[in-house]
């Protein structure tokens, strides 16, 4: 049976509960998100900032009117690489009930095309060292593990 | 002898040749930058975008009226971490003639304080896997190597 069509678009405010649900159902995300109805105001406040900034795009994948995937695409101007624009991806999630159907690949391919169209010279992302599946997934899409991702928590 | 005082500030347009010189003198940077007088227009165009965006700060370290260090600090709104603000650092460089004097440490500490004041919950960066010195440097500042940094070149 042919899989139903998936469409991609920028998230609206009303999509936020679906986005946060997917962030929270993830193994690493469950300890740091706070998914409840209504959502804590901090999520809406971050959404407003993202939505108002043309260099940020919160993307959702939709199938049959339901949000089934999300990622946050950002465009970062930079002096390095002769003033080259970087595209960066954060917070990639696919609905847990729909994994293994190629949806992640589809949303990433769409996003890479979008980054090209906006003139980025690179797409960059970091993934937790514990996510071996994610590393293979990105390698298959052509990503090279060239860097160490380092974080300093300020809390 | 006491080292002269170093001050930190946002870069002005006139600082751009000094910034690009430091990016270009770096081993990895030399192959991808184009340092010449006058600088290629692409550098100025990127500077204008950075300068106009309050979420981007191109920082320079100055000593005796001379620019001796630079980094690009950016603040990234995010849905994850309950709508938490991330600080990200790119393109850290210290003038090659002044390495080993603690200037890198000083500019990083200043930047971490700035990220705290602006309410970021994390400071994140990636460094090329070949830069073993840089890994130790960031670890001493408290950074954890928790992630893989992956890049897909679009050129």
């Amino acid at each position: 049976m042919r899989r139903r069509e998936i469409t991609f678009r920028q998230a609206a405010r009303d999509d936020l509960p679906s986005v946060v649900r997917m962030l929270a159902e993830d193994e690493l995300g469950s300890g740091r998100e706070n998914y409840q109805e209504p959502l804590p105001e901090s999520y809406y406040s971050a959404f407003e900032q993202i939505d108002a900034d043309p260099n940020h795009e919160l993307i959702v994948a939709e199938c049959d009117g339901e949000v089934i995937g999300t990622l946050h695409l950002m465009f970062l101007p930079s002096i390095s690489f002769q003033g080259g624009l970087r595209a960066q991806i954060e917070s990639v999630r696919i609905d847990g009930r729909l994994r293994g159907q190629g949806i992640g690949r589809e949303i990433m391919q769409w996003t890479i095309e979008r980054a090209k169209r906006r003139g980025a010279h690179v797409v960059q992302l970091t993934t937790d060292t514990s996510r071996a599946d994610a590393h293979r997934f990105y390698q298959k899409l052509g990503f090279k593990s060239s860097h160490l991702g380092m974080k300093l928590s300020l809390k």
Side-chain angles (χ1 to χ4, degrees), chain A:
Chain A
M1 203 177 94
R2 202 167 154 274
R3 209 186 58 204
R4 283 157 301 181
E5 200 194 352
I6 297 169
T7 54
F8 303 100
R9 60 174 172 80
Q10 291 213 37
R13 191 181 159 90
D14 288 349
D15 296 315
L16 210 47
S18 303
V19 169
V20 175
R21 179 179 54 71
M22 286 185 284
L23 291 174
E25 82 178 9
D26 171 85
E27 198 177 326
L28 292 170
S30 60
R32 58 200 189 203
E33 303 304 336
N34 184 6
Y35 176 58
Q36 52 176 268
E37 290 278 358
L39 281 182
E41 180 52 33
S42 60
Y43 285 112
Y44 286 103
S45 154
F47 175 79
E48 299 302 338
Q49 286 177 67
I50 291 167
D51 195 47
D53 189 334
N55 279 333
H56 285 265
E57 301 185 350
L58 183 65
I59 306 295
V60 291
E62 201 173 36
C63 185
D64 278 345
E66 211 187 336
V67 169
I68 56 162
T70 180
L71 62 78
H72 182 171
L73 172 63
M74 50 192 88
F75 293 94
L76 307 175
S78 173
I79 302 298
S80 64
F81 286 86
Q82 304 189 33
L85 184 69
R86 295 164 188 263
Q88 181 165 306
I89 295 173
E90 299 261 2
S91 304
V92 183
R93 296 292 186 281
I94 303 299
D95 189 312
R97 298 164 295 177
L98 297 166
R99 284 205 197 110
Q101 298 185 28
I103 298 167
R105 186 179 172 81
E106 215 171 307
I107 193 173
M108 284 297 298
Q109 285 169 333
W110 183 90
T111 302
I112 291 164
E113 278 310 308
R114 183 150 186 84
K116 277 185 194 162
R117 277 204 309 279
R118 282 195 58 167
H121 70 90
V122 69
V123 181
Q124 61 186 27
L125 56 85
T126 70
T127 67
D128 195 281
T129 50
S130 70
R131 297 194 200 261
D133 286 358
H135 306 159
R136 279 191 295 274
F137 169 73
Y138 292 121
Q139 274 158 2
K140 276 188 205 157
L141 284 161
F143 284 81
K144 307 285 180 211
S145 307
S146 55
H147 284 62
L148 254 186
M150 306 186 79
K151 305 212 181 220
L152 173 70
S153 173
L154 301 180
K155 295 292 171 197

